[in-house]
Amino acid sequence: MVAPENLDELRAAFGEVTERVEGGVDLVFLPRLVLPEGCAPREMQALLCLGQHGGYTTRLFLQQAIPGKGANWSSHVVLGRPWWTWSWNQVPASLRPAEILAEHLRGLR
Amino acid sequence: MNSEGLNQELGAVEQAVAIEAAELAAIEVELADIEQCCLQGKPVPPARVYRIKVDNHYHEWPKAHITGNQLLHLAGRDGQLVFEVFENFRHGDPELISPHAEANLRKHGVERFTTAPKLVQVTIDGKQKTIQAGMYTVTELKRVLGIDPSRVLDEVIGGEFKELPDNGTVHVKGGEIFVSHVRQGQSS
């Protein structure tokens, strides 16, 4: 379960966000995430995975892959729908969700 | 400029000259010390120069009115960080003078002027923090926010995380959201 104060921090930045759980791993659904400059499109739905997934400590899933950004994009079905993510690892699950998100977004700059 | 605009401008200049002339004609003393007038309970007479106290330093001012910005300049508080200026009365609470508002130096009961940092609230790592408004280098902002210099500081603007380089600057007005983090993620 995501700590309420951590969800509040994300809500202050992104408006409504929703906590989900799959396979015992906490996830946060972001209905509108603005991606770093140079990404196209700039806005999309995202799913922040706060625990282990496929050998990665944490992950950021996006609605679609971003051409020219990140590397080794792969598609995964999470919460019953397809998502895209790139190869970006070593962001610990011990961080606050906002920190985890910031570190994953750094991988798209 | 058309003739109507020119006439309006001339009218404004004439009005300003008339006010200045009336003030000069009404001068009763060379110097009026507003603090002394206040302490003695006397009205401040029309004067050529007004002696005012700003943050415990005395200044002479050649007009009966002074703006908040001019007071801040006299106090040396017109730098990168934002200060507010107050007029303090012998009796009663201090009143804020906004930067472009004019204080009347002949207003009865004004003893002195004081300045204080303009404090605003920002959010850092999910917690509210009160800091002084103004322009900061990112390095200085990290220090003020109590963030380790080695951490990366992002500002969240309109749902976007914007990384703030240490050699950059940030204009803090209040309500900003900052997130700090350690560079740990890497391509695998």
Side-chain angles (χ1 to χ4, degrees), chain B residues 117-135:
Chain B
K118 181 179 181 179
L119 299 177
V120 294
Q121 280 211 321
V122 299
T123 304
I124 172 68
D125 293 338
K127 295 184 176 67
Q128 296 276 307
K129 183 138 186 158
T130 302
I131 65 170
Q132 188 171 1
M135 191 74 82

Side-chain angles (χ1 to χ4, degrees), chain B residues 13-34:
Chain B
V13 170
E14 281 173 5
Q15 197 177 3
V17 169
I19 291 168
E20 188 99 15
E23 282 179 359
L24 284 171
I27 285 173
E28 289 177 12
V29 295
E30 189 62 28
L31 185 143
D33 186 323
I34 71 162

Side-chain angles (χ1 to χ4, degrees), chain A residues 9 12-14 32 34-37 42 56 72 87-92 95-96 98-99 101-103 105-106 109, chain B residues 123-127 151-152 154 156-163 177-188:
Chain A
E9 184 181 12
F14 301 104
R32 177 184 166 268
V34 182
L35 300 176
E37 265 182 37
R42 289 293 305 280
Y56 289 75
N72 303 323
S87 187
W88 187 255
N89 205 352
Q90 307 306 327
V91 181
L95 303 179
R96 297 185 342 274
E99 285 180 275
L101 179 58
E103 267 302 290
L105 288 172
R106 197 167 60 77
R109 290 201 176 99
Chain B
T123 304
I124 172 68
D125 293 338
K127 295 184 176 67
R151 292 176 74 87
V152 179
D154 283 13
V156 186
I157 303 171
E160 180 181 358
F161 278 68
K162 287 181 177 281
E163 189 173 317
I177 298 173
F178 299 103
V179 174
S180 76
H181 54 105
V182 177
R183 289 180 198 273
Q184 291 178 89
Q186 53 190 312
S187 195
S188 57

Side-chain angles (χ1 to χ4, degrees), chain A:
Chain A
M1 186 180 165
V2 182
E5 63 269 23
N6 289 338
L7 278 179
D8 287 345
E9 184 181 12
L10 290 175
R11 286 192 179 111
F14 301 104
E16 199 44 52
V17 300
T18 320
E19 183 186 5
R20 307 278 173 88
V21 179
E22 185 173 89
V25 175
D26 289 327
L27 302 144
V28 178
F29 174 68
L30 304 159
R32 177 184 166 268
L33 176 66
V34 182
L35 300 176
E37 265 182 37
C39 292
R42 289 293 305 280
E43 294 181 22
M44 62 179 68
Q45 295 180 344
L47 195 61
L48 184 63
C49 177
L50 301 175
Q52 281 275 349
H53 184 279
Y56 289 75
T57 50
T58 57
R59 294 200 104 165
L60 177 63
F61 296 105
L62 300 176
Q63 197 175 352
Q64 62 186 83
I66 310 295
K69 296 286 181 181
N72 303 323
W73 286 84
S74 56
S75 178
H76 305 262
V77 174
V78 187
L79 297 174
R81 62 174 274 195
W83 294 93
W84 289 85
T85 190
W86 71 106
S87 187
W88 187 255
N89 205 352
Q90 307 306 327
V91 181
S94 57
L95 303 179
R96 297 185 342 274
E99 285 180 275
I100 293 171
L101 179 58
E103 267 302 290
H104 281 286
L105 288 172
R106 197 167 60 77
L108 295 176
R109 290 201 176 99

